[in-house]
């Protein structure tokens, strides 16, 4: 194989020919000159003069050198000699431009943000993997322990409604009078299913009166059923009943009644007969409660303030003895101050102090003693200071 350069009369090759010898012959394949110039970095060739163009130049007036037939080799020699004889202008060397691949292309702001965001996400994932991995190394998850069962949620039992219905029904159930049996049956039927025996165990004899009813705890047995504890104050029988039957109890006494109820269609219904149960005869003993120390001097100094307040407390004129801005409701009518049995102010400091007062009241033809916790507030004016009551409530707590 051999390579031939193709010229058109100039010093710049216009093409390349590859010759292969095959089976004793020669096969020439001309390649495109442009591809060759790109590969070997040759300059672009001068435009070829066709025969028509050369003929036109020969006939141009004033161009004597072109009137005679042109020999390509002689023409090339003349141009070469003219080129050597002509002064070469001093050309400024062009500044070397960096290669295209050496100049960094400007990046758009969106591209920069996307690249930085992607890096941030990648580092966050790596950090999360490291943290969770270290946590599992330090505290590995326990295996074999079953997950806690989810708490069952649902509407709670209507305890307030159950207490109200049970208390109303217990009053009707424990009230009987053989002369008014129909009244009892009618009151019981209001809270029982239709067709139920409203006599519900009573034989129709005797007399019993309910003085007070107090609903208590609600014990839910199923989703719809519950048991309500009701405490009832009774006055049973009369003197005639006692003469007929000495076992009749005529004194007032408390009993407890368990009433079965069920929640049906938004209502509480009594399902059947209740049961009377006992009540403890006494309460359990008290724990050791703290007893505050007494400020003797200040207790004596404020004794008259306490007595004045309780006299106004019974008459309803508390505004005159209460601290500024405080309102204390008066006692009901029919109570008269018998006297303050004791007053002890707790030790402390500041303008707000508390103490305990024992007060005797005359009411309903008798005398009853009661205990109060009283709060005093020191009120200052331009010329003096005084203590006034700012709050009062019963009991020692």
């Amino acid at each position: 194989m051999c390579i031939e350069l193709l010229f058109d009369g100039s010093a710049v090759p216009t093409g390349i020919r590859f010759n292969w010898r095959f089976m004793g012959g020669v096969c020439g394949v001309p390649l495109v000159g442009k591809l060759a110039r790109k590969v070997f970095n040759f300059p672009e060739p001068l435009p070829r003069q066709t025969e028509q163009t050369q003929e036109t130049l020969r006939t141009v007036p004033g161009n004597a050198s072109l009137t005679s037939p042109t020999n390509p080799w002689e023409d090339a020699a003349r141009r070469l000699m003219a080129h050597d004889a002509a002064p070469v202008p001093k050309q400024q060397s062009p500044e070397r431009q960096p290669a295209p691949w050496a100049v960094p292309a400007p990046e758009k702001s969106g591209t920069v943000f996307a690249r930085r965001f992607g890096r941030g996400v990648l580092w966050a994932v790596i950090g999360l993997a490291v943290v969770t991995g270290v946590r599992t190394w330090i505290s590995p998850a326990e295996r074999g322990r079953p997950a806690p069962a989810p708490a069952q949620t649902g509407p709670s039992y209507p305890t307030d409604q159950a207490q109200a219905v049970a208390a109303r029904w217990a009053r009707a159930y424990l009230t009987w009078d053989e002369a008014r049996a129909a009244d009892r049956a009618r009151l019981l039927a209001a809270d029982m299913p239709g067709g139920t025996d409203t006599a519900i165990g009573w034989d129709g004899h005797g007399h019993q009166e309910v003085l007070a009813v107090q609903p208590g705890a609600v014990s839910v047995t199923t989703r719809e059923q519950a048991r309500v504890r009701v405490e009832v104050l009774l006055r049973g029988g009369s003197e005639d009943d006692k003469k007929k039957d000495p076992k009749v109890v005529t004194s007032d006494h408390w009993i407890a009644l368990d009433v079965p109820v069920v929640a049906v269609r938004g209502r509480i219904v009594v399902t059947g007969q209740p049961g009377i149960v006992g009540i403890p005869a006494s309460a359990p003993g008290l724990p050791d409660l703290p007893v505050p120390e007494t400020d003797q001097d200040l207790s004596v100094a404020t004794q008259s303030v306490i007595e004045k307040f309780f006299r106004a407390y019974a008459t309803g004129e508390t505004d005159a003895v209460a601290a500024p801005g405080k309102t204390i409701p008066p006692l009901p009518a029919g109570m008269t101050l018998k006297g303050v049995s004791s007053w002890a102010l707790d030790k402390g400091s500041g303008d707000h102090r508390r103490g305990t007062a024992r007060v005797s009241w005359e009411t309903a033809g008798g005398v009853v003693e009661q205990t109060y916790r009283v709060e005093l507030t020191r009120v200052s004016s331009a010329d003096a200071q005084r203590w006034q009551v700012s709050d009062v409530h019963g009991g020692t707590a």
Side-chain angles (χ1 to χ4, degrees):
M1 181 187 70
C2 64
I3 301 174
E4 296 179 2
L5 301 178
L6 304 180
F7 295 84
D8 60 349
S10 64
V12 180
T14 61
I16 301 175
R17 181 188 298 276
F18 292 85
N19 295 329
W20 283 273
R21 295 186 178 277
F22 181 73
M23 299 294 294
V26 179
C27 179
V29 182
L31 298 180
V32 181
K34 186 175 181 180
L35 176 62
R37 288 191 298 273
K38 292 291 184 181
V39 174
F40 292 95
N41 200 21
F42 288 145
E44 294 291 332
L46 296 174
R48 275 189 173 184
Q49 295 181 359
T50 62
E51 292 180 2
Q52 183 178 359
T53 306
Q54 293 177 1
E55 184 66 24
T56 304
L57 292 175
R58 293 191 195 101
T59 59
V60 174
N63 194 354
S65 60
L66 299 177
T67 58
S68 59
T70 303
N71 188 335
W73 296 103
E74 293 177 356
D75 188 44
R78 284 196 302 269
R79 288 200 303 270
L80 181 60
M81 292 175 61
H83 181 272
D84 293 341
V88 180
K90 190 174 182 181
Q91 299 180 356
Q92 295 180 358
S93 59
E95 295 181 2
R96 296 185 62 186
Q97 299 295 332
W101 57 83
V103 179
E107 291 184 327
K108 297 181 179 180
S109 60
T111 305
V112 175
F113 173 79
R115 184 177 68 253
R116 293 179 178 177
F117 180 78
R119 290 178 181 175
V121 172
L122 179 60
W123 281 110
V125 172
I126 295 174
L128 181 61
V130 171
V131 171
T132 55
V134 171
R135 183 177 59 81
T136 54
W137 298 340
I138 297 175
S139 177
E142 297 182 6
R143 297 181 180 179
R145 175 178 295 181
Q152 296 181 355
T153 59
S156 58
Y157 200 84
T159 55
D160 293 343
Q161 185 181 358
Q163 288 178 326
V165 171
R168 180 173 64 239
W169 190 85
R171 176 182 288 274
Y173 175 77
L174 293 174
T175 300
W176 57 69
D177 189 346
E178 56 188 16
R180 305 177 62 183
D183 293 345
R184 179 178 183 273
R186 177 175 50 83
L187 295 175
L188 291 176
D191 295 312
M192 299 183 69
T196 305
D197 180 16
T198 54
I200 199 163
W202 179 49
D203 64 355
H205 298 285
H207 176 83
Q208 182 169 267
E209 183 181 357
V210 174
L211 302 180
V213 176
Q214 179 62 48
V218 178
S219 302
V220 180
T221 56
T222 65
R223 185 174 180 179
E224 294 86 8
Q225 293 179 305
R227 183 178 62 253
V228 183
R229 173 67 59 89
V230 181
E231 296 181 356
V232 182
L233 179 61
L234 296 177
R235 176 173 294 170
S238 62
E239 293 298 330
D240 294 338
D241 295 332
K242 189 173 182 181
K243 292 177 181 179
K244 295 177 183 179
D245 187 358
K247 296 181 180 179
V248 173
V249 179
T250 58
S251 60
D252 299 344
H253 58 283
W254 285 94
I255 67 167
L257 190 71
D258 285 343
V259 181
V261 297
V262 63
V264 179
R265 299 176 185 176
R267 284 196 59 185
I268 295 295
V269 179
V270 178
T271 60
Q273 291 185 354
I276 296 177
V277 295
I279 295 178
S282 62
L286 295 177
D288 294 335
L289 299 177
V291 178
E293 298 184 19
T294 301
D295 188 336
Q296 296 291 345
D297 295 338
L298 193 55
S299 297
V300 174
T302 56
Q303 179 76 25
S304 60
V305 175
I306 296 301
E307 293 178 352
K308 181 180 179 180
F309 167 78
F310 278 106
R311 281 195 296 269
Y313 196 31
T315 60
E317 299 176 355
T318 56
D319 292 341
V321 294
K326 301 297 181 178
T327 300
I328 301 175
L331 290 177
M335 302 187 68
T336 304
L337 179 65
K338 176 69 174 179
V340 177
S341 304
S342 65
W343 164 246
L345 192 67
D346 301 344
K347 277 191 174 181
S349 60
D351 294 337
H352 300 279
R353 306 287 292 274
R354 288 184 176 88
T356 302
R358 295 184 182 276
V359 183
S360 297
W361 300 100
E362 294 182 357
T363 180
V367 177
V368 60
E369 184 181 74
Q370 296 180 334
T371 303
Y372 296 90
R373 287 287 288 176
V374 182
E375 180 177 346
L376 295 180
T377 299
R378 181 160 49 192
V379 179
S380 300
S381 60
D383 54 352
Q385 293 183 348
R386 66 184 183 276
W387 291 91
Q388 289 184 309
V389 176
S390 58
D391 191 18
V392 60
H393 59 266
T396 57

